[in-house]
Each structure stands twice: as C-alpha cells, then as structure tokens.
Amino acid sequence: DRRLELVWFGRLDERTKRVSELLRVAADLDTRGVDFRMRIVGPGWRDLAPQTVNAQAAEMGLADRIQATGPLTGAELVRVIDSSDVLVCTSIIEGYPLTIPEAQSRGLPVAMYDLAWLAVLDDNEGIVSVEQGDAAALAAEIAAIATTPERYASLSGGSLAAADRERGRDYAALYAQLF
C-alpha cells in the first residue's frame, strides 16, 4: 500500500546505458497506473546530464515520477538503494556489472534488459529479464513484481542468495590465475 521505489545507478551514458529507455519504462508504468518513483543516480556523461533527464521527464509529464539525482556515493547511495524496491537496468552492454551485485546484496530484485553473456546472471534467481529495447515488457515485469508479494519475496531472496555467492568467491585467487 505504498509507492513502488525504483532505482537505477551508473553513469548517464545514453550510448551504452540507454538512460532514455528508463523514461520509456516509466511512461509505460504510468500508463499501467503503477504508483512509483524512479531515481536515476549517477554523474552526467558526454552529452547527458541529470538536469537533461529531469527536463525530458517533465516534457513527458513524468516530473513527479522520475528524479535524476546526480552522483551519490557511500552512505548516500546506500540509503537510496535501501529505500528502493527494484533495480532497473537498461544497458545494451556490460562487462562485469557492479550495480547488480551491489543492489542484490541489499535484497533488491533486478528487472533488466537481457545480457545473456553476463556470468553474474547464471543461476541468479533474483533477476527478471526481457528482450533488449522492449520497454513495455520490462514495465510489465516490474508491475508484476510490485503487485505479487510472493514473487517479490522470491526474487528478493534470490537476490540475497546470488549476492552471497558473489561474496563467497575468492577474487584474490581468481586475479592471481588471470595474471
């Protein structure tokens, strides 16, 4: 019985992170009647600044739904993650996506565009993914997560389990093997 809190964090790079897709997802959620706020956290990059994202949201009638905060770090970022319900990812390419394990370590389900090659997605029961660029399908998944407490609980538990697996890896040994 409260507003759904969505978060995205990273650099505001349209070319690879597809920040504009977040606006499309938000517009679809709004059309579906979902009560939500999406916080977009991160520094401007190349030709995209937080103010630009906020202006675009306002042009779409979503100023009360979307807040591009600019960069947050440390305790500030943790507070935003902890007060969120779902991490949304719209990237078209990632190497090792730190945002996913960071959010999952706090129990957040992840709704994202599919990046099948990411090792962090293997056996990860805290993630739902849809075809790249399908904002309506991503919004539908987010709406389903928000309206089905059992599904939310299952995904959140899956996120915590995935984060535990990541924390359990011996990264020092892996780096030594790499080099």
Side-chain angles (χ1 to χ4, degrees):
D1 294 335
R2 66 171 180 78
R3 174 178 64 188
L4 177 67
E5 295 287 344
L6 305 172
V7 66
W8 176 95
F9 54 101
R11 66 183 185 280
L12 302 180
D13 180 7
E14 178 60 26
R15 189 177 64 81
T16 61
K17 304 298 184 190
R18 298 292 195 228
V19 177
S20 63
E21 291 291 313
L22 296 167
L23 300 175
R24 291 181 54 217
V25 169
D28 197 276
L29 286 169
D30 191 55
T31 299
R32 292 172 186 274
V34 176
D35 184 15
F36 74 96
R37 173 177 62 165
M38 182 184 294
R39 287 174 287 184
I40 300 171
V41 179
W45 197 259
R46 296 189 180 138
D47 61 350
L48 190 59
Q51 300 87 335
T52 306
V53 175
N54 287 329
Q56 292 170 345
E59 288 173 14
M60 297 173 70
L62 297 170
D64 61 331
R65 301 281 193 187
I66 294 176
Q67 176 190 18
T69 66
L72 300 177
T73 59
E76 270 188 307
L77 179 58
V78 170
R79 273 193 296 280
V80 168
I81 295 169
D82 284 348
S83 65
S84 298
D85 301 307
V86 177
L87 173 70
V88 182
C89 299
T90 53
S91 297
I92 61 166
I93 190 166
E94 289 284 354
Y96 185 85
L98 293 175
T99 58
I100 291 173
E102 288 170 347
Q104 287 194 303
S105 73
R106 310 307 282 190
L108 268 63
V110 177
M112 64 182 288
Y113 285 159
D114 188 39
L115 297 171
W117 60 87
L118 291 180
V120 74
L121 303 183
D122 293 344
D123 299 318
N124 192 324
E125 299 296 323
I127 294 178
V128 295
S129 63
V130 302
E131 183 178 325
Q132 278 287 328
D134 193 344
L138 192 55
E141 288 290 346
I142 293 167
I145 292 168
T147 58
T148 313
E150 301 81 18
R151 185 163 188 219
Y152 183 89
S154 175
L155 288 166
S156 180
S159 283
L160 290 170
D164 284 345
R165 276 194 311 277
E166 289 300 307
R167 276 193 290 269
R169 296 188 197 284
D170 184 351
Y171 285 98
L174 291 171
Y175 285 128
Q177 290 172 4
L178 177 66
F179 294 108

